Structures are given as C-alpha cells and as structure tokens.
Amino acid sequence: MKKSLNQKLINIIEYYNLINANFFLSNSPLKRTSKNKNSAFVGSKSEKLHKLKKIISLIKNCDLKKNATNLVFGDGNINSKIMIIGEGPGANEDAQGKPFVGRAGKLLDKMLDSIKLDRTKVYISNVVNYRPPENRRPSDFEINRYLPYLKTHIEIINPKILLLLGSTALNTLIGNHEVISKARGKWIQKEIGTANPWIIASFHPAFLMRQPEQKKLAWIDLKMIREKAKILKI
Ligand code: URA
C-alpha cells in the first residue's frame, strides 16, 4: 500500500516535470506568440521523442489506452525528412507496439518501395497512439485528445514532407471539410507548430486493399512525393 502510494507520487512528480509545470505555475505572463512553447522538450531528438512517448503513456481515463495492449508511438528513421501519418493502430500494431506492421503495413511498404523508400528513409506514426477497439475510427473526442501529442511529434521530427494516409489523418491536420478523394494529390504548405512541411494526402492502404482500382491514383501521389523529394533535395 505504502509502496504504491510512493510510486504514485513519483509518477505525479515525473509527469509534472515532463509537462514543465513551471509553464502554468509561474507568475510570469505567458508568451502566447513564442515559437518555443514546447520548452519541456529539450535535449536531442531521441530524448524529446522519449519524453513525448512517456507523456502519452501517462494519459489517464482514456478508453483507447484501457482496451489496448501496447502504446504504438512511431517507427522508422527519426532523422528522416519524410513523415507519414496513418489513423490508428490495428490488432497487429497493438500486439507489436509498432505502426503499420499488419496487412496495410505490408502494402505501405510496397508503396514506399515503388518510389525507392523504406522504413530506414521515412518516419511513421498515427493520429492516435492506442488501438481503437474493433478497429473503429477514433472519435472526435479521442482525436482532439491526441492532437497536441501528434503536433508535438511532428514538431520534433520536423519533416519537409508530410504524407497523410486516409481521411482521418487528413481531417485531423488539414480540416474537417476535406474529402480524401478530392484533397488527395495536392500539395499544401502548412505550419504545424514550429514545423512547416509540405503536406500531401493520399488513400490509406487499408482502403486500397478494399478498392484496388484506386491504386492508380495512389501511384500518382507517390510519384508526386518522389518529385518533391528531388526538388527539396531530400
Ligand atoms: N492503420 C493505420 O492507420 N495505422 C497503423 O499503424 C496500422 C493500420
């Protein structure tokens, strides 16, 4: 009993350290325009990612976390200038704690291979970091809860190209009014915190497995990424 109380206290202290308690406990005025709002995230890229992962692991009262086996944070090359965002982990991802390792992941690997990319050359994450039960779409509430983490994740990776796979990633980062079939295959540049990537949306590999005739459009998007990477000298 005593031990678990101590452990709880340690967790609370660790949590407040991670989220930089001074930020809201100090008397000094908040600089809302400051670019450096993620001052809790200091250190090397991998240290920042480690901190972010720790913060997500401490999330409370989350039905996604309650029902999941593992936190699925990210995979690939943290120094890559190409970041890919999916929707949320499925059963295989939940079991292995890694994004896109199931059937959709195999197709994603093939898509990347077609433009000479692989997981050593890109970085992959999801809108939510715990598997939604029955692979349902995460609710708006869940998406909004994880959005600050996703934005910080993008800031830390700081990609030049951001590929959004499917409507959930598109709607989360670009806007709810967008429809994937219309918005795909178009470049927009958008500030996400301190990052300012070129963003393109394309079909989610799970959708392409159900509708393989759409692969020809996904191929157009992939070629656009290949071209952009050339122009940006990635
Ligand atoms: N689908 C996703 O959106 N993300 C994964 O990690 C796996 C499947």
Side-chain angles (χ1 to χ4, degrees):
M1 178 69 184
K2 198 169 175 194
K3 192 163 174 222
S4 81
L5 204 68
N6 280 344
Q7 190 53 51
K8 265 190 186 159
L9 213 64
I10 290 168
N11 283 346
I12 290 170
I13 292 167
E14 205 175 16
Y15 178 71
Y16 280 103
N17 275 336
L18 282 167
I19 62 168
N20 193 4
N22 288 337
F23 183 68
F24 55 86
L25 293 179
S26 101
N27 286 327
S28 40
L30 288 177
K31 270 203 199 139
R32 294 192 193 282
T33 53
S34 167
K35 281 252 171 197
N36 200 15
K37 64 185 183 325
N38 280 316
S39 52
F41 292 95
V42 288
S44 68
K45 220 176 209 190
S46 67
E47 283 165 345
K48 288 179 193 171
L49 290 169
H50 184 76
K51 276 186 193 172
L52 178 62
K53 187 173 178 183
K54 180 84 193 178
I55 288 177
I56 298 172
S57 77
L58 294 171
I59 198 165
K60 296 268 182 287
N61 302 320
C62 171
D63 284 344
L64 297 183
K65 180 181 173 184
K66 263 182 223 153
N67 288 295
T69 308
N70 280 304
L71 165 59
V72 179
F73 185 67
D75 188 34
N77 181 348
I78 64 169
N79 294 311
S80 173
K81 291 291 154 209
I82 303 176
M83 184 170 183
I84 301 171
I85 307 292
E87 177 177 295
N92 293 294
E93 290 76 20
D94 182 43
Q96 295 184 40
K98 257 189 183 188
F100 283 101
V101 290
R103 277 185 349 114
K106 297 276 172 298
L107 179 54
L108 177 61
D109 286 341
K110 275 193 192 164
M111 290 161 72
L112 293 174
D113 187 54
S114 72
I115 52 167
K116 299 196 165 44
L117 292 175
D118 59 36
R119 287 178 196 236
T120 66
K121 296 183 186 136
V122 300
Y123 184 82
I124 307 174
S125 189
N126 279 305
V127 170
V128 295
N129 303 103
Y130 288 103
R131 181 192 181 200
E134 316 298 332
N135 296 342
R136 63 164 169 77
R137 187 184 193 272
S139 68
D140 287 350
F141 177 80
E142 289 158 348
I143 290 172
N144 284 328
R145 192 146 187 221
Y146 281 80
L147 186 56
Y149 306 133
L150 175 62
K151 285 187 174 168
T152 303
H153 210 152
I154 294 168
E155 282 190 286
I156 296 170
I157 297 296
N158 195 20
K160 288 187 179 169
I161 290 176
L162 187 62
L163 167 60
L164 306 178
L165 291 176
S167 57
T168 302
L170 171 72
N171 295 152
T172 301
L173 288 163
I174 303 299
N176 265 330
H177 51 284
E178 300 285 355
V179 180
I180 187 74
S181 55
K182 294 231 168 72
R184 55 144 287 278
K186 292 177 189 149
W187 287 111
I188 58 160
Q189 196 172 21
K190 185 176 170 190
E191 282 187 10
I192 299 176
T194 51
N196 192 20
W198 282 98
I199 305 179
I200 190 167
S202 190
F203 292 124
H204 193 288
F207 170 80
L208 293 173
M209 289 188 316
R210 295 192 301 273
Q211 308 238 356
E213 69 282 2
Q214 303 292 340
K215 282 185 184 172
K216 52 185 181 300
L217 293 176
W219 172 232
I220 293 173
D221 305 340
L222 288 166
K223 283 191 291 186
M224 287 177 71
I225 293 169
R226 189 175 60 189
E227 284 309 305
K228 195 67 150 183
K230 241 187 241 165
I231 293 165
L232 297 174
K233 298 189 171 47
I234 292 173

